[in-house]
Amino acid sequence: MEIRKIDSFDELLQEVKTYIVKEENIKIIRDAFEFADKMHKNQFRKSGEPYIVHILQVGFILAQLKTGPKTIAAGLLHDVIEDCDISKDEFVALFGEEIYTLVESVTKIGNLKFTDEKEYQANNHRKIMIAMAKDIRVILIKLVDRLHNMRTLQFMSIEKQKKISEETLGVYAPIAHRLGISEIKNELEDLSFYYLKKEQYYEIAKLVEMKKTERDSQVNSMINEISQLLSANNIQFRIFGRSKHLYSIYKKMTTKQKRFEEILDLLAIRIITKNDSACYEILGHIHAKYLPIPGRFKDYIAVPKVNLYRSLHTTIMNLGNIFEVQIRTEEMDMIAEKGIAAHWRYKENSGSKEVDQKQIEDQLAWFKEFSSMVGEVHDNALDYMNLMTNDIFEANVYVMSPKGKIVALSNGATPIDFAYRIHTEIGHKMVGATINGAICSINTPLKTGDVVEIKTSNNSNGPSEDWLKIVKTTNAKNKIRAYFQKIDNERKSLDVKKGEEMLKDEMIKRNIDVQQFFDTKKLEAIASSLGVSSYIDLMHVIANKTVSIINVLEKLTKQKVSVNKEDILKVYNRLENKKTSKTNARGIIVPGIDSVKITLSSCCSPIPSDEIVGYISKGMGIKVHRKDCSNIKNETTRLIPLQWDDEVNNQEFDVRLKIIANDRNHLLTDIVNTISQNKSSLAYVESKVNNEKLQVMIKLQVIVRGQEQLANLLSNLKKISSVKEVTRILN
Ligand code: MN
C-alpha cells in the first residue's frame, strides 16, 4: 500500500470517489468528517499535530483498502466517544445505531490498558478478539488505527514503543495475516521489528540495500525473458519484481536458520493475468522453458488458503539463480493484498458491483469459526492465548471435509483435531476416519489438500484419554478435557449423594442423631485422617464401600460403635464379591479395600500362605494375625477374613524359629550355612545352653520369601546332625 500523508478532506474524498459513487454514501462520509473535525477541535496528538490529522489518515487508509462508506465514517468517528463529550443518543440520532456500535466496539478495545503481567496481557488480547469478533469492520478500523499509530510511534516513550510494538507483532499482525491483508500485515511487522530490534533491523536493511543493484538486474533480465515468452504466445499479462519485507527475511533467518545470502538469493516475480485458465497457461509455458524445483509448486487457485488467498506458486532455476514466481488474476491479487477488506466493501456498498453474498460468507468461514472458538473458551486467559497462537495464527495445514469446507489446522494435527474443529459432538462420537477415501488410523498427521471424513457412531464410548497425547490443537485438547471433567463431576456428585444417604441410614439404624452428628466440617477432617483428600472423596469411598462406615461413624461420634457378627459377615461377603482388590504393601488383600492401613502383628509374625485374619483395631487400620494366634482367640466381633496376594512370593517376611539340639562344636556355623544355602538371611540369633541336658536352644530370626522357602528351610535345618527339633515361634 502506498504510504501517503494527506492534508485535507478533499484528498480523502478523491480516493473515496474512485470506488464509491452514490451521493448518499459520500454524504455519510462527509457528515462524519465534519462532525469529527468539530469534536476534536483543539485536541492534539503527541506529535504536536492537530488530532484531526490522525482521523483523516485513518479514513484515508480505509479508503485505500476500499472499505464501505459506513466503515469509513466509523473510522473518522472512531475516537469521538472516548475523547469528546457526546451521549449515545446524540450520536445515534446523527449517524444511526450501526455506526454507533462500530465506534463503541473500537473504543472498548482502545480502553484496555497495558500491563506487564503475562496473564493479564493474555486477557487483554482475548477481549480484543471478542470485541472484534462481533463485526469484522471493527477489526479493519482497529487495524488501520493501529497502523497509523505505529507509523507515528516515534513520539512515544521508548517503553511504550516496545509495549505497543510487542502487542502489534503478537496480536494485530497475525490478525491482519489471517484476514489476508498482507499490505497491513507487512507494514505492521516491519514497524514493530524496527522498534523491538533496531540493531537487526538496520543490519538487514543495509544488506538488502547493498545487494539491490545486482538483484534488480537479475530480476529485470528474467522479467524480459518471460515477457517475450508470454507475448509470443499472445497472452495478456503484467509482470513485476517484488521485494520481501525486512521482517520476513529476519524471521526466515532465525526460524529456518538460513544465511542472509540464501534468503536473498530467492528472487521474486509476480505475473498478473486476466483469468484462471490464463494462470495455468502461463505456468505451462514457464515450466516448459525453465527447470521447476520439485516440491515447490503450489496451487492455491484450486485449494485457496483459509484467509481467501488464491494464486499459483512455483520456483524455477535460470542461470544459477532461483526465482519464486507467483501467477494470479487481478482479483486474486487484490484479495492477496487487501484480503477480507476487498470483499467487505461489496457488502456495504452493494449496487456498485454484483456480489455473490453466499460466496463471501463461505470464504469468511474462518472468521466465523474463529468467532465461535473465541466464545467457547472461558476459563483461563493463557489457555486462550495458546489456542490463538496454536490453532489460529500458526495453522498452516489446510484440509477439507467431503463437502469442501476448508479447515486450517496446526502442523501435525490429526483426524481427531479435525473432528473437534468441525463440531464438539463429532469429536466425542468419532470412531474412525478416512483420508482421501482410504481408512486411516486416527493419529495420522494430516497434510494440506487431504480430504478428511470422520466416521461417528452413537454407540461410541466417547473420547479416550490417550487422545490427549495424540491431538495437536488446543481446541481439541480443551474439549476432550472438558468431556472427562464433566463425566468425573457427574459420577462424583452421584457418589456424594449416595455416600451421604448410606451414612445417614447407618446413623438412623444405630440411633445416632443425624442432626447432631452429621457434620460436614468434621467429616472433612475425618477424610484427611483416612488419607482421602476431601469431603467429596470421602463420600465417594463410602459410596464405593472402600472404607468402613463403622470406622467413619466411630470417628464422627467419638464413641465405639458396636459391630455385630452379621455386619462383619455382610462386609465380608461384599468384599469377597469385589473383584478389584489392591495389594497392600505387605502383600495382603483386603478384598475391595484399598485405603486402609494394614500391619502385620508382631505377636505371631504371619507369613504368606499362613491362614490369616484381620483385626479391626480401634484407631484405624487392620492388624494381621495368624488365624491360630492366641491373642485373638477370644475376639468375635472385630475380625475380618483376609487372604494373601498371589504375587506376594517375591516379598520378604520375618520368621522366628526355635531350634533344640544336642550341643556340639560348629553347630551354629552349620545352621548359618544352611540358612544361607537356602537363600534366606539371618536377622538375629540367640543361643542358650542347658547344661543339665547338654542341650542348646537357639532362637533365630530369619527373612524368607513365602511359605515354600520356609518349608524348605525347616526341613534342611532338621537334617543338620544333632538337631532334634525345629519350630516356628508363634507367640
Ligand atoms: Mn485512534
Side-chain angles (χ1 to χ4, degrees):
M1 181 165 36
E2 181 204 2
I3 300 177
R4 205 170 103 208
K5 208 181 146 219
I6 58 162
D7 298 314
S8 67
F9 179 67
D10 283 345
E11 278 178 88
L12 167 60
L13 218 50
Q14 235 179 348
E15 184 74 29
V16 164
K17 281 182 174 167
T18 61
Y19 69 99
I20 295 178
V21 286
K22 274 191 190 166
E23 192 44 51
E24 56 187 277
N25 284 335
I26 301 283
K27 187 178 181 306
I28 295 173
I29 296 171
R30 188 189 301 277
D31 289 350
F33 172 74
E34 280 167 6
F35 186 73
D37 194 25
K38 195 173 80 192
M39 295 304 278
H40 289 295
K41 203 137 243 150
N42 299 325
Q43 291 178 358
F44 295 89
R45 297 265 288 177
K46 278 247 159 61
S47 60
E49 285 180 314
Y51 204 89
I52 196 69
V53 173
H54 169 64
I55 299 301
L56 260 181
Q57 214 58 41
V58 167
F60 181 66
I61 302 170
L62 285 168
Q64 284 182 304
L65 286 172
K66 306 214 181 318
T67 58
K70 284 176 188 161
T71 314
I72 295 176
L76 292 170
L77 295 165
H78 83 270
D79 281 327
V80 158
I81 294 183
E82 168 144 51
D83 297 338
C84 313
D85 190 24
I86 179 171
S87 73
K88 181 184 173 180
D89 289 347
E90 286 172 82
F91 193 118
V92 172
L94 285 167
F95 298 103
E97 194 83 43
E98 190 179 343
I99 294 179
Y100 176 80
T101 310
L102 289 174
V103 174
E104 194 202 19
S105 305
V106 174
T107 306
K108 273 188 190 154
I109 299 165
N111 279 338
L112 302 167
K113 292 281 172 281
F114 294 112
T115 165
D116 284 329
E117 221 181 308
K118 253 227 151 82
E119 180 153 346
Y120 191 94
Q121 278 248 10
N123 237 328
N124 234 354
H125 295 163
R126 180 175 164 200
K127 281 184 200 151
I128 295 172
M129 297 298 177
I130 292 169
M132 292 197 295
K134 286 184 191 141
D135 191 326
I136 201 149
R137 291 173 297 177
V138 176
I139 305 184
L140 289 175
I141 297 166
K142 192 65 207 170
L143 279 175
V144 167
D145 181 34
R146 174 56 59 114
L147 179 60
H148 187 244
N149 288 337
M150 286 299 294
R151 284 180 184 174
T152 52
L153 203 61
Q154 72 263 37
F155 302 106
M156 292 291 191
S157 69
I158 288 179
E159 196 195 350
K160 268 205 164 160
Q161 286 175 351
K162 295 244 184 231
K163 274 185 181 167
I164 293 173
S165 296
E166 250 164 40
E167 191 184 49
T168 300
L169 202 56
V171 179
Y172 288 99
I175 289 172
H177 173 60
R178 271 292 160 232
L179 298 177
I181 316 171
S182 56
E183 285 183 333
I184 290 185
K185 184 208 111 189
N186 293 348
E187 199 181 333
L188 287 178
E189 284 185 345
D190 273 358
L191 285 166
S192 309
F193 180 37
Y194 171 77
Y195 286 106
L196 290 170
K197 293 188 167 16
K198 280 203 178 135
E199 224 173 278
Q200 289 94 325
Y201 179 92
Y202 282 124
E203 194 189 340
I204 290 176
K206 201 177 86 191
L207 288 166
V208 169
E209 193 53 40
M210 273 165 51
K211 282 266 181 176
K212 197 173 184 311
T213 331
E214 188 192 335
R215 287 163 47 79
D216 281 356
S217 82
Q218 285 164 345
V219 168
N220 284 336
S221 77
M222 190 62 175
I223 284 178
N224 283 337
E225 276 192 33
I226 294 179
S227 296
Q228 281 170 24
L229 173 70
L230 298 182
S231 298
N233 285 284
N234 290 323
I235 297 169
Q236 261 184 43
F237 67 95
R238 115 187 130 79
I239 185 168
F240 49 92
R242 55 190 183 87
S243 54
K244 285 196 160 57
H245 69 295
L246 299 182
Y247 184 67
S248 78
I249 296 173
Y250 170 75
K251 227 167 55 178
K252 273 201 178 145
M253 285 171 75
T254 49
T255 60
K256 297 195 175 157
Q257 303 216 317
K258 287 194 170 165
R259 286 180 305 116
F260 176 76
E261 304 293 326
E262 288 176 83
I263 293 159
L264 222 63
D265 279 350
L266 295 173
L267 302 163
I269 286 172
R270 185 176 299 162
I271 304 167
I272 311 283
T273 188
K274 58 181 199 297
N275 56 32
D276 290 17
S277 57
C279 293
Y280 290 104
E281 203 186 335
I282 291 171
L283 178 80
H285 289 303
I286 288 177
H287 278 184
K289 182 161 181 189
Y290 304 101
L291 182 68
I293 294 176
R296 296 294 296 271
F297 169 66
K298 295 215 174 76
D299 185 351
Y300 292 119
I301 292 179
V303 185
K305 288 192 188 179
V306 171
N307 67 11
L308 323 179
Y309 179 89
R310 295 174 79 210
S311 188
L312 297 178
H313 288 189
T314 189
T315 305
I316 53 170
M317 294 263 287
N318 189 35
L319 302 170
N321 291 324
I322 297 169
F323 294 88
E324 282 183 339
V325 182
Q326 299 176 336
I327 308 164
R328 52 175 77 154
T329 65
E330 291 286 355
E331 194 199 351
M332 291 175 198
D333 193 47
M334 166 124 150
I335 290 167
E337 294 298 324
K338 304 191 192 313
I340 221 158
H343 289 270
W344 201 253
R345 70 169 161 139
Y346 300 132
K347 194 172 178 177
E348 235 190 40
N349 202 22
S350 53
S352 67
K353 199 167 184 176
E354 206 170 302
V355 198
D356 185 346
Q357 190 64 37
K358 173 82 175 65
Q359 198 189 343
I360 293 176
E361 299 266 309
D362 279 354
Q363 286 178 314
L364 289 174
W366 168 78
F367 185 70
K368 280 194 224 151
E369 192 189 303
F370 153 70
S371 314
S372 77
M373 281 208 278
V374 166
E376 263 171 29
V377 187
H378 302 292
D379 299 346
N380 182 316
L382 281 175
D383 268 5
Y384 164 78
M385 239 3 235
N386 284 339
L387 188 143
M388 291 303 298
T389 37
N390 253 334
D391 297 7
I392 297 183
F393 296 157
E394 283 166 17
N396 290 316
V397 176
Y398 301 97
V399 298
M400 268 187 289
S401 75
K403 284 180 187 163
K405 182 186 157 100
I406 298 172
V407 171
L409 297 165
S410 37
N411 286 335
T414 64
I416 307 176
D417 294 288
F418 178 81
Y420 276 103
R421 183 62 65 78
I422 297 289
H423 197 282
T424 307
E425 280 309 305
I426 292 187
H428 289 342
K429 291 188 174 151
M430 171 175 183
V431 290
T434 66
I435 298 176
N436 305 324
I439 293 173
C440 64
S441 101
I442 56 172
N443 59 6
T444 313
L446 298 174
K447 296 188 304 295
T448 291
D450 281 346
V451 177
V452 187
E453 188 171 5
I454 302 299
K455 307 283 176 206
T456 60
S457 161
N458 282 330
N459 299 326
S460 96
N461 294 325
S464 129
E465 265 175 287
D466 294 340
W467 290 11
L468 285 170
K469 290 178 214 141
I470 296 170
V471 296
K472 283 286 176 302
T473 59
T474 310
N475 174 53
K477 235 171 238 170
N478 286 345
K479 285 174 174 172
I480 295 167
R481 281 206 197 106
Y483 175 88
F484 286 114
Q485 191 64 48
K486 191 168 160 244
I487 299 241
D488 206 42
N489 289 345
E490 281 170 2
R491 206 199 56 210
K492 271 199 174 157
S493 72
L494 275 180
D495 279 359
V496 167
K497 248 190 176 166
K498 195 173 158 201
E500 283 172 347
E501 268 167 27
M502 285 168 64
L503 198 56
K504 284 174 182 168
D505 284 353
E506 200 68 34
M507 289 168 98
I508 293 163
K509 217 166 84 191
R510 292 170 193 284
N511 290 323
I512 298 169
D513 186 351
V514 175
Q515 285 240 303
Q516 187 194 339
F517 285 103
F518 195 94
D519 181 338
T520 318
K521 275 238 170 75
K522 256 192 202 164
L523 282 163
E524 235 162 73
I526 290 168
S528 73
S529 81
L530 287 172
V532 283
S533 57
S534 66
Y535 174 80
I536 290 172
D537 287 341
L538 178 63
M539 291 309 139
H540 170 73
V541 293
I542 290 175
N544 288 285
K545 299 169 183 168
T546 51
V547 73
S548 144
I549 290 194
I550 307 302
N551 198 353
V552 174
L553 280 182
E554 281 188 353
K555 282 172 178 284
L556 200 55
T557 57
K558 297 218 165 74
Q559 282 163 18
K560 191 175 168 181
V561 175
S562 66
V563 185
N564 56 41
K565 253 190 174 164
E566 227 173 74
D567 291 329
I568 293 271
L569 201 64
K570 252 195 270 168
V571 173
Y572 176 65
N573 287 337
R574 196 185 61 235
L575 295 180
E576 277 286 89
N577 293 331
K578 275 238 168 183
K579 274 268 182 287
T580 50
S581 350
K582 191 172 161 188
T583 303
N584 194 274
R586 296 298 302 196
I588 290 161
I589 292 179
V590 187
I593 297 183
D594 56 23
S595 56
V596 177
K597 191 177 145 201
I598 296 177
T599 45
L600 296 182
S601 72
S602 52
C603 55
C604 57
S605 304
I607 69 157
S609 85
D610 281 344
E611 280 194 309
I612 47 175
V613 287
Y615 174 78
I616 304 167
S617 67
K618 200 176 167 196
M620 55 175 293
I622 293 174
K623 284 245 173 206
V624 181
H625 292 262
R626 283 175 55 105
K627 213 172 185 177
D628 54 3
C629 177
S630 59
N631 284 348
I632 51 155
K633 239 188 301 193
N634 302 319
E635 271 299 334
T636 48
T637 59
R638 296 176 151 263
L639 296 180
I640 300 184
L642 294 174
Q643 66 196 66
W644 295 98
D645 186 11
D646 287 337
E647 288 165 25
V648 85
N649 279 327
N650 276 328
Q651 291 198 36
E652 293 180 336
F653 289 85
D654 283 359
V655 176
R656 284 177 296 148
L657 303 175
K658 188 172 82 178
I659 298 175
I660 309 284
N662 291 327
D663 200 7
R664 65 168 170 90
N665 285 342
H666 306 305
L667 174 64
L668 215 52
T669 316
D670 289 345
I671 289 172
V672 172
N673 283 341
T674 304
I675 291 171
S676 96
Q677 277 158 20
N678 200 65
K679 296 198 171 66
S680 309
S681 50
L682 183 64
Y684 175 75
V685 63
E686 167 192 294
S687 92
K688 238 184 216 164
V689 181
N690 183 329
N691 283 326
E692 266 179 41
K693 289 187 180 172
L694 292 174
Q695 272 184 349
V696 62
M697 185 180 76
I698 300 165
K699 281 188 181 170
L700 300 168
Q701 193 178 339
V702 292
I703 297 163
V704 297
R705 288 174 187 272
Q707 188 79 19
E708 201 184 324
Q709 201 177 59
L710 176 65
N712 287 336
L713 178 63
L714 292 177
S715 90
N716 289 336
L717 288 172
K718 278 178 191 160
K719 285 179 195 154
I720 296 172
S721 80
S722 93
V723 168
K724 289 186 134 43
E725 182 187 329
V726 183
T727 49
R728 210 171 133 192
I729 305 170
L730 295 178
N731 284 305

